[in-house]
């Protein structure tokens, strides 16, 4: 009976319910993926991946070269050798300052802690006294106190900045610098920041939880993480901050002109000194500490800040990525879905890169993990759904085949009787008249039954396919019910079941009387089939304003809610019905429903397992 008529609401309802459930499962899965992606990226391992991604983007998105404001006055190997090693550093520095004094540098930041007296101090103090905007260094000692320069130097400095290194705890690479550091209640600003303040005429540092402001420069650095500021190191094309060593100045005094108006960072660059750090750019060659401070200064002076993306935005994007992954597989599988998934993944990769190009550090892990997990989970979800649908279809097919076999068998029964009887007649020419008549009657009755069966199946099929105009005649429903009760009586008697016509419906119906008879007869025979011997089947009729109602009630095996929602599906039979030993195809009710729908009516079922069922037809009353 291949048709999908609108009437089959039960299947539709159960279909959308299942679909809704499946969609809810997908939505929940995607939420879990987003949360898992976020959580996993906050683990130590996740952070290391993020750091690697940061370094990668750092090298990928290099800023254009610029003219640095700073220059390094270097105490390199040659200088140290010339001045007799580390002990000669102060004398060397004093000489260097002397050589560049004439070109008036904008400021001089010295990355040497000068905590004690030494023989060359007179010369160095004289140098410091003449230096404009001198900034000296201090460092935090392991015992938690500040190591400051001695007072004779200190008094010539406009500020003392701290030079404690902040290395990444996982790989000891220097990526950021804390702009403030406190020991007990003694807080110091970083050397680079103090130098920037000095260059800006000693402007005040204004603090807010989110940033520091110096003059017109806002430095994003939150109070929560010790005012950590990411350093934008000079890109490789610039070959680092310009550097001139004191020994070189000695050889070529003209080099002093390079210091004109510049911010000078004076410190040790010699490889022998351990004050060297790795940066995202360095490949095995570490950067001297003094260059690190100069880079921090350049970052501030050029406002090249790299700011972390707000957490809420990262979380929101993760959920969006998960949602998109789910959408990719919501409507299907195959190439379009795979392409959509690839697109989602590509987006998750592009966001950190695009953000970085705009100075925002967007963590790579949360989006990537969410995309990978989300796509995998959504694809698996789709796979399971497809498998379930396939299994369902297979199931339908076997049920259909089984029922077809049964239906064919049903058609064969009258055929066999006809064949047998006709053979007997032709073989035994001298058959008693009474016997011959009995056989002829049997043949007649069986062929009529066969014709009726075929007729009914075919007309319902045609009717539902819209190929046949349903007869439109006016008939009495009570009449139809009466005929059906008569026809069903032998069946009921065989099981000692009483059919009680409690009340009969009053009023006429317009439509096809034969089809209606088929429907009512089916309800009656079902009631008898699925009831125990000795029970009662009752028929109630009732007519309302514009409708006629007819109920068939039994005391039989009944059904639960789930079963009721499926009995109008073609070939569906309940377990209880199958176990009852009653033959059936599971087609009858689907036909009944179609007939009722064609008559503009509805069918309702109330049932309880073990207690019985009540099928009610509600039809339009003919005016
Ligand atoms: P069939 O009776 O040939 O199996 P139907 O389409 O008439 O097919 O009915 C479908 C199924 O609905 C039955 O197999 C049975 O499980 C259930 N059913 C129908 N009528 C009743 C009833 N009166 N009591 C209990 N179950 C019923």
């Amino acid at each position: 009976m291949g048709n999908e008529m609108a009437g089959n609401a039960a299947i539709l309802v159960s279909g959308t319910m299942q679909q809704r459930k499946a969609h809810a499962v997908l939505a929940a899965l995607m939420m879990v993926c987003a949360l898992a992606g976020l959580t996993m990226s906050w683990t130590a391992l996740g952070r290391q991946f993020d750091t690697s991604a940061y370094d990668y983007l750092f090298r990928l998105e290099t800023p254009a070269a610029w003219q640095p404001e700073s220059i390094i006055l270097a105490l390199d190997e040659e200088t140290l050798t010339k001045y007799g090693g580390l002990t000669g550093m102060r004398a060397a520095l004093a000489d260097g300052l002397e050589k560049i004094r004439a070109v008036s540098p904008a400021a001089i930041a010295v990355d040497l802690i000068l905590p004690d007296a030494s023989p060359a101090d007179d010369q160095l103090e004289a140098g410091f006294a003449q230096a404009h905007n001198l900034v000296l260094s201090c460092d935090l000692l392991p015992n938690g106190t500040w190591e400051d320069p001695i007072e004779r130097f200190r008094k010539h400095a406009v500020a003392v900045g701290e030079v404690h290194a902040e290395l990444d705890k996982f790989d000891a690479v220097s990526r950021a610098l804390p702009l403030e550091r406190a020991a007990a209640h003694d807080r110091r600003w970083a050397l680079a920041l103090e130098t920037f303040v000095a260059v800006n005429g000693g402007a005040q540092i204004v603090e807010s939880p989110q940033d520091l402001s110096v003059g017109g420069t806002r430095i994003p650095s939150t109070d929560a993480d010790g005012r950590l500021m990411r350093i934008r190191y000079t890109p490789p094309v610039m070959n680092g901050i310009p550097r001139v060593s004191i020994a070189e100045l000695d050889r070529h005094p003209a080099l002093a002109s390079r210091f004109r108006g510049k911010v000078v960072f004076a410190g040790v660059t010699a490889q022998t000194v351990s004050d060297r750090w790795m940066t995202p750019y360095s490949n095995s060659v570490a950067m001297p500490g003094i260059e690190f401070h100069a880079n921090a200064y350049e970052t501030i002076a050029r406002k090249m800040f790299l700011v972390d993306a707000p957490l809420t935005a990262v979380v929101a994007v993760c959920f969006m990525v998960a949602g998109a992954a789910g959408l990719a597989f919501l409507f299907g599988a195959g190439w379009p879905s795979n392409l959509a998934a690839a697109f989602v993944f590509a987006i998750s990769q592009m966001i950190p890169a695009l953000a970085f190009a705009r100075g925002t550090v967007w963590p790579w892990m949360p989006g990537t993990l969410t995309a990978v997990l989300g796509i995998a989970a959504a694809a698996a979800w789709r796979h399971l759904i497809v498998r379930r649908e396939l299994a369902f279809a297979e199931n339908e097919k076997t049920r259909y085949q089984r029922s077809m076999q049964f239906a064919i068998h049903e058609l064969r029964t009258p055929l066999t009787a006809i064949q047998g009887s006709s053979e007997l007649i032709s073989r035994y020419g001298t058959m008693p008249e009474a016997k011959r008549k009995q056989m002829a009657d049997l043949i007649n009755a069986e062929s009529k039954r066969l014709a009726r069966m075929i007729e009914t199946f075919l007309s319902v099929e045609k009717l539902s396919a819209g190929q046949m105009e349903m007869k439109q005649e006016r008939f009495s429903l009570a009449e139809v019910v009466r005929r059906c009760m008569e026809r069903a009586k032998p069946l009921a008697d065989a099981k000692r079941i009483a059919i009680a016509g409690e009340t009969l419906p009053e009023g006429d119906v317009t439509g096809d009387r034969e089809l209606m008879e088929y429907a009512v007869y089916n309800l009656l025979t079902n009631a008898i089939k699925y009831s125990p011997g000795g029970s009662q089947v009752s028929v109630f009729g009732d007519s309302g304003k514009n409708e006629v109602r007819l109920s068939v009630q039994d005391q039989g095996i009944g059904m639960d809610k789930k079963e009721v929602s499926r009995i109008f599906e073609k070939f569906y039979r309940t377990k209880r019905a199958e176990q009852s030993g009653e033959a059936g195809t599971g087609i009858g009710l689907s036909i009944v429903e179609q007939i009722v729908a064609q008559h503009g009516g509805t069918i309702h079922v109330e049932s309880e397992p073990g207690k019985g069922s009540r099928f009610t037809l509600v039809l339009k009353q003919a005016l």
Side-chain angles (χ1 to χ4, degrees):
M1 312 278 122
N3 94 92
E4 296 305 332
M5 244 189 44
N8 222 337
I11 301 178
L12 276 180
V13 169
S14 80
T16 45
M17 280 243 300
Q18 271 201 342
Q19 221 175 28
R20 244 184 249 149
K21 246 196 225 161
H23 289 177
V25 167
L26 180 64
L29 260 180
M30 292 305 104
M31 295 261 256
V32 170
C33 288
L35 289 175
L38 283 164
T39 332
M40 281 161 74
S41 57
W42 283 320
T43 60
L45 184 67
R47 292 204 175 242
Q48 286 181 65
F49 276 113
D50 265 338
T51 327
S52 301
Y54 173 82
D55 290 351
Y56 175 77
L57 288 175
F58 199 93
R59 292 189 292 266
L60 194 73
E61 304 276 353
T62 52
W66 69 89
Q67 196 58 48
E69 276 184 39
S70 52
I71 184 166
I72 293 169
L73 180 62
L75 288 144
D76 63 353
E77 272 92 355
E78 189 191 350
T79 309
L80 289 184
T81 315
K82 192 168 164 199
Y83 285 87
L86 288 174
T87 47
M89 279 197 312
R90 293 187 189 190
L93 181 59
D95 269 0
L97 292 180
E98 172 61 28
K99 290 188 166 68
I100 61 171
R101 189 158 54 93
V103 297
S104 19
I108 298 200
V110 178
D111 181 20
L112 291 179
I113 322 283
L114 306 160
D116 43 21
S118 97
D121 285 357
D122 287 343
Q123 194 194 349
L124 186 57
E125 189 190 344
F128 281 167
Q130 296 191 353
H132 175 56
N133 279 339
L134 176 70
V135 183
L136 293 181
S137 307
C138 61
D139 197 6
L140 194 58
L141 291 174
N143 66 12
T145 57
W146 288 108
E147 186 177 44
D148 282 316
I150 46 177
E151 188 49 32
R152 64 183 300 192
F153 297 144
R154 169 79 187 78
K155 67 179 183 208
H156 299 294
V158 292
V160 175
E162 60 92 7
V163 291
H164 198 83
E166 173 82 7
L167 303 180
D168 193 294
K169 65 173 178 225
F170 291 123
D171 57 8
V173 170
S174 157
R175 298 185 180 88
L177 163 83
L179 292 176
E180 72 173 17
R181 195 176 280 274
H185 287 293
D186 189 357
R187 184 186 61 176
R188 308 288 174 89
W189 298 112
L191 178 71
L193 180 60
E194 286 289 15
T195 308
F196 183 71
V197 170
V199 173
N200 280 270
Q204 218 197 329
I205 300 175
V206 183
E207 301 176 55
S208 90
Q210 292 308 316
D211 51 44
L212 298 176
S213 295
V214 177
T217 304
R218 196 187 74 85
I219 308 167
S221 54
T222 65
D223 198 15
D225 59 7
R227 307 266 181 212
L228 217 54
M229 180 191 79
R230 292 179 190 271
I231 300 174
R232 228 357 161 152
Y233 292 97
T234 52
V237 285
M238 286 172 66
N239 238 331
I241 304 282
R243 193 193 285 189
V244 177
S245 82
I246 295 166
E248 272 179 295
L249 271 177
D250 216 20
R251 276 186 275 119
H252 309 287
L255 282 174
S257 66
R258 294 185 60 187
F259 290 82
R260 188 180 308 279
K262 295 277 179 188
V263 178
V264 178
F265 281 82
V268 181
T269 62
Q271 299 273 357
T272 41
V273 178
S274 67
D275 185 21
R276 292 185 149 259
W277 305 325
M278 302 297 280
T279 76
Y281 284 134
S282 34
N283 35 18
S284 81
V285 184
M287 175 181 280
I290 185 65
E291 189 167 356
F292 168 80
H293 297 299
N295 270 293
Y297 176 84
E298 291 288 326
T299 304
I300 300 174
R302 292 186 60 83
K303 302 191 176 81
M304 294 181 301
F305 303 112
L306 285 168
V307 186
D308 282 330
L311 182 63
T312 44
V314 175
V315 172
V317 162
C318 272
F319 277 98
M320 284 195 301
V321 164
L327 278 181
F329 290 94
L330 178 60
F331 301 111
W335 277 115
S337 297
N338 293 348
L339 269 179
F343 184 69
V344 171
F345 184 74
I347 293 277
S348 76
Q349 301 307 292
M350 275 158 64
I351 292 174
L354 291 175
F356 201 99
R358 281 157 190 73
T360 301
V361 179
W362 193 286
W364 173 75
M365 278 294 273
T368 305
L369 270 179
T370 304
V372 170
L373 290 176
I375 289 168
W381 173 86
R382 168 55 58 191
H383 179 73
L384 285 182
I385 293 274
V386 169
R387 267 230 328 234
R388 208 169 63 185
E389 276 169 2
L390 211 70
F392 186 74
E394 279 292 310
N395 203 355
E396 285 289 273
K397 210 172 110 192
T398 41
R399 233 173 37 197
Y400 176 83
Q401 282 168 345
R402 212 162 4 109
S403 305
M404 259 342 244
Q405 281 163 2
F406 181 81
I408 290 166
H409 182 80
E410 281 280 274
L411 293 178
R412 263 210 200 130
T413 322
L415 256 185
T416 319
I418 293 167
Q419 254 177 4
S421 307
S422 54
E423 263 176 32
L424 280 179
I425 294 175
S426 63
R427 205 174 297 162
Y428 304 104
T430 58
M431 193 180 259
E433 180 61 17
K435 187 81 186 159
R436 206 183 53 83
K437 168 123 185 24
Q438 193 194 349
M439 297 237 157
D441 284 351
L442 183 74
I443 290 175
N444 193 294
E446 288 298 303
S447 40
K448 271 190 187 145
R449 183 154 84 99
L450 190 60
R452 244 200 338 268
M453 275 167 81
I454 293 172
E455 187 62 25
T456 319
F457 276 93
L458 283 183
S459 33
V460 173
E461 177 81 347
K462 278 192 197 153
L463 197 64
S464 51
Q467 291 171 353
M468 194 175 91
E469 279 287 300
M470 195 176 70
K471 269 190 218 152
Q472 291 292 343
E473 55 190 0
R474 190 186 173 112
F475 60 91
S476 148
L477 190 59
E479 195 54 45
V480 169
V481 173
R482 222 172 279 126
R483 273 182 56 95
C484 290
M485 281 167 58
E486 252 166 52
R487 276 175 62 198
K489 194 160 181 315
L491 262 179
D493 287 347
K495 281 181 86 173
R496 290 178 298 104
I497 290 176
I499 308 182
E502 306 285 348
T503 46
L504 288 184
E506 277 172 34
D508 291 349
V509 176
T510 307
D512 194 314
R513 195 180 50 79
E514 262 178 58
L515 288 178
M516 190 51 71
E517 195 176 312
Y518 178 92
V520 176
Y521 182 71
N522 230 283
L523 295 185
L524 266 178
T525 49
N526 272 353
I528 296 165
K529 264 161 64 180
Y530 302 119
S531 292
S535 61
Q536 180 174 314
V537 171
S538 317
V539 179
F540 301 90
D542 179 15
S543 43
K545 215 171 157 209
N546 291 321
E547 34 175 65
V548 198
R549 241 178 305 228
L550 171 69
S551 304
V552 176
Q553 186 174 339
D554 62 49
Q555 300 167 332
I557 56 175
M559 297 162 275
D560 60 31
K561 276 215 175 68
K562 218 168 156 190
E563 292 171 327
V564 168
S565 72
R566 298 198 58 191
I567 51 173
F568 295 107
E569 290 175 26
K570 270 173 242 154
F571 310 117
Y572 175 80
R573 301 195 74 205
T574 64
K575 270 225 172 60
R576 254 181 286 271
E578 278 185 339
Q579 285 162 358
S580 72
E582 290 287 350
T585 53
I587 302 177
L589 280 183
S590 74
I591 298 178
V592 170
E593 196 195 34
Q594 285 163 23
I595 293 173
V596 174
Q598 290 281 347
H599 282 79
T602 49
I603 180 162
H604 306 272
V605 188
E606 297 147 83
S607 189
E608 207 176 314
K611 291 250 171 80
S613 315
R614 184 188 178 110
F615 285 75
T616 304
L617 300 185
V618 182
L619 298 165
K620 271 191 265 175
Q621 189 166 14
L623 300 172

